[in-house]
Amino acid sequence: MMISKAVLHILDFTTNVCILSQRELDFSSELVYDYVNKRIVRLLKDPGQQTGVFYATSHFQEWLQRLTQGELEFDEFASNVAKALFDALQHCDESESADVLVVDFQDDDDVRCIAILVLDNKTA
């Protein structure tokens, strides 16, 4: 597996603020790389969390297609995802603050993958 890019955004429902990271995570820090790698390895070990299905009208599907076609930059894709999740979750009765980790990586079969992980305070 090779991690290309990752970004971490914060969905703070206590203050009702979506905090978007201004840059990608810095993998020159072994601690940062290990954190992201650990999350992806855990994800890949759980077949039930490896795929998703989009509605034909899904903005996520459109953004993902634009990303893979090179029409949308990774940081813009990750920000769009975080904003959309924040907008959807803020209407829930008991939304808890969470982090959104968006990762662009290649699996062991050299297939490009995009992971979107919502990490609550217990899993972060």
Side-chain angles (χ1 to χ4, degrees):
M1 175 176 60
M2 186 174 123
I3 301 171
S4 303
K5 300 175 183 180
V7 67
L8 186 69
H9 298 298
I10 301 169
L11 310 181
D12 186 346
F13 296 106
T14 304
T15 59
N16 205 31
V17 176
C18 179
I19 303 169
L20 300 176
S21 178
Q22 299 299 311
R23 58 187 159 157
E24 297 170 12
L25 295 175
D26 180 6
F27 290 135
S28 65
S29 165
E30 190 173 325
L31 184 66
V32 172
Y33 184 86
D34 287 345
Y35 173 81
V36 175
N37 187 62
K38 177 181 167 185
R39 298 291 172 207
I40 297 301
V41 168
R42 188 181 300 168
L43 175 73
L44 293 175
K45 287 183 179 180
D46 186 352
Q49 295 189 33
Q50 292 181 19
T51 60
V53 177
F54 297 105
Y55 291 112
T57 59
S58 170
H59 289 296
F60 282 93
Q61 181 177 11
E62 175 191 340
W63 296 331
L64 191 56
Q65 287 174 341
R66 290 182 56 212
L67 175 68
T68 59
Q69 294 170 355
E71 299 171 2
L72 185 66
E73 294 295 323
F74 177 77
D75 59 340
E76 186 178 358
F77 169 80
S79 293
N80 287 346
V81 167
K83 285 187 261 184
L85 286 171
F86 182 80
D87 289 344
L89 294 174
Q90 79 181 101
H91 299 294
C92 296
D93 288 338
E94 295 185 28
S95 297
E96 292 192 23
S97 295
D99 296 333
V100 177
L101 178 63
V102 184
V103 185
D104 187 346
F105 69 100
Q106 290 182 313
D107 66 10
D108 292 335
D109 296 323
D110 227 19
V111 175
R112 184 180 184 193
C113 302
I114 303 295
I116 302 169
L117 296 96
V118 179
L119 309 167
D120 62 22
N121 292 331
K122 297 171 200 117
T123 59

